[in-house]
Amino acid sequence: MSAQPVEFITLPYHAPSEQEALKRARRFREEMDRRRSVRHFSNRPVPRETIGELIRAASSAPSGAHKQPWSFIAVSDLALKSQIRQAAEAEEKQNYESRMPEEWLQALEPFATDWHKPFLEVAPWLVVLFQQTVERLPGGETRKNYYVVESVGIAVGMFLAAVHQAGLVALTHTPSPMKFLSEILGRPDNERPFLLMPVGYPVVDCQVPDLRRKSLQEVATFL
Ligand code: IYR
């Protein structure tokens, strides 16, 4: 069975001048340069509607064959957050105490992380992103999805940009293995956990490591 035909429309588009495009590019870059991963969250609530807008921004990401192979599960329920924290800490404790090789532990030293994850209960929202390895049709049949990891990776980037733009903060957290998230959140078997993002406000005077970013010369080559 082939896909439904899609009509074409004229792209609503107005080209900026060269200077205007540079100005906007620079302004956005400066804004994004202020984004930081945060591990110390305030418990100040964030309305569900705001989280909905952030998810809609993420879900506007391009995806392979426009399959949008993602589900965002936004958790504010304290009992669920506690269950997630308990399960994540149990895995992370094993990671830090025996599963992570010395080289990895050394790479993480500057960030002062350990297996304790209080932010999983303190942050007002945990947004858990699942990748849909295949699409499940309403009748139960499955369809292939394409470039799933690329698609959800782009959606995460757009989600983080939206969070920052809203004046909120997030952490990209990957407790490993993450299978417990499928169980706690009751997700179907065509979905796999991809990333867990606490979202909210930072604590007052939140401390973050004083990191520098690679320069343009270090990350880009113009040919
Ligand atoms: N998932 C662990 C370890 C960890 C791994 C990387 I790579 C980081 O950039 C940060 C942490 C944890 O969350 O502590």
Side-chain angles (χ1 to χ4, degrees):
M1 197 181 67
S2 56
Q4 293 288 322
V6 172
E7 300 222 345
F8 278 71
I9 54 165
T10 304
L11 176 70
Y13 178 76
H14 176 73
S17 69
E18 228 171 77
Q19 304 93 298
E20 179 61 21
L22 172 60
K23 202 169 92 188
R24 287 194 217 168
R26 183 161 291 143
R27 194 180 303 147
F28 187 67
R29 188 266 301 169
E30 286 169 353
E31 187 55 51
M32 292 309 291
D33 245 352
R34 287 189 277 273
R35 187 207 57 80
R36 295 300 310 265
S37 291
V38 158
R39 291 186 169 77
H40 308 290
F41 286 82
S42 144
N43 63 1
R44 180 175 166 190
V46 172
R48 176 186 175 139
E49 193 179 0
T50 306
I51 300 298
E53 291 298 336
L54 302 175
I55 293 172
R56 287 177 76 182
S59 194
S60 73
S63 60
H66 191 54
K67 294 281 195 164
Q68 301 182 94
W70 45 64
S71 296
F72 291 83
I73 312 303
V75 182
S76 65
D77 180 81
L78 184 56
L80 274 179
K81 289 195 297 183
S82 299
Q83 251 184 291
I84 291 173
R85 175 181 179 181
Q86 238 181 15
E89 287 185 334
E91 293 294 353
E92 292 291 7
K93 192 163 190 297
Q94 288 190 63
N95 289 339
Y96 279 91
E97 288 178 355
S98 55
R99 293 198 290 227
M100 282 152 82
E102 197 47 41
E103 186 181 349
W104 193 351
L105 292 171
Q106 273 175 19
L108 289 181
E109 244 173 51
F111 308 98
T113 58
D114 63 25
W115 62 264
H116 297 94
K117 305 297 175 194
F119 54 75
L120 292 174
E121 279 178 315
V122 176
W125 291 95
L126 303 181
V127 176
V128 188
L129 174 52
F130 286 81
Q131 60 180 101
Q132 295 172 350
T133 51
V134 294
E135 181 184 15
R136 173 96 56 211
L137 301 179
E141 259 182 285
T142 57
R143 287 272 183 284
K144 227 177 120 39
N145 279 334
Y146 304 94
Y147 299 103
V148 172
V149 171
E150 291 82 348
S151 302
V152 293
I154 297 166
V156 167
M158 294 181 58
F159 184 79
L160 295 174
V163 166
H164 181 66
Q165 175 67 29
L168 301 172
V169 296
L171 176 69
T172 45
H173 182 45
T174 51
S176 172
M178 288 198 280
K179 185 92 190 89
F180 67 87
L181 290 168
S182 304
E183 286 149 22
I184 293 175
L185 300 173
R187 300 313 299 169
D189 65 1
N190 64 319
E191 293 188 358
R192 270 215 304 268
F194 185 74
L195 198 61
L196 189 170
M197 291 172 287
V199 179
Y201 293 90
V203 289
V204 174
D205 294 329
C206 178
Q207 298 292 297
V208 294
D210 188 14
L211 305 176
R212 63 170 281 279
R213 293 196 160 97
K214 287 182 178 174
S215 67
L216 180 62
Q217 288 69 29
E218 288 170 284
V219 300
T221 303
F222 294 84
L223 300 173

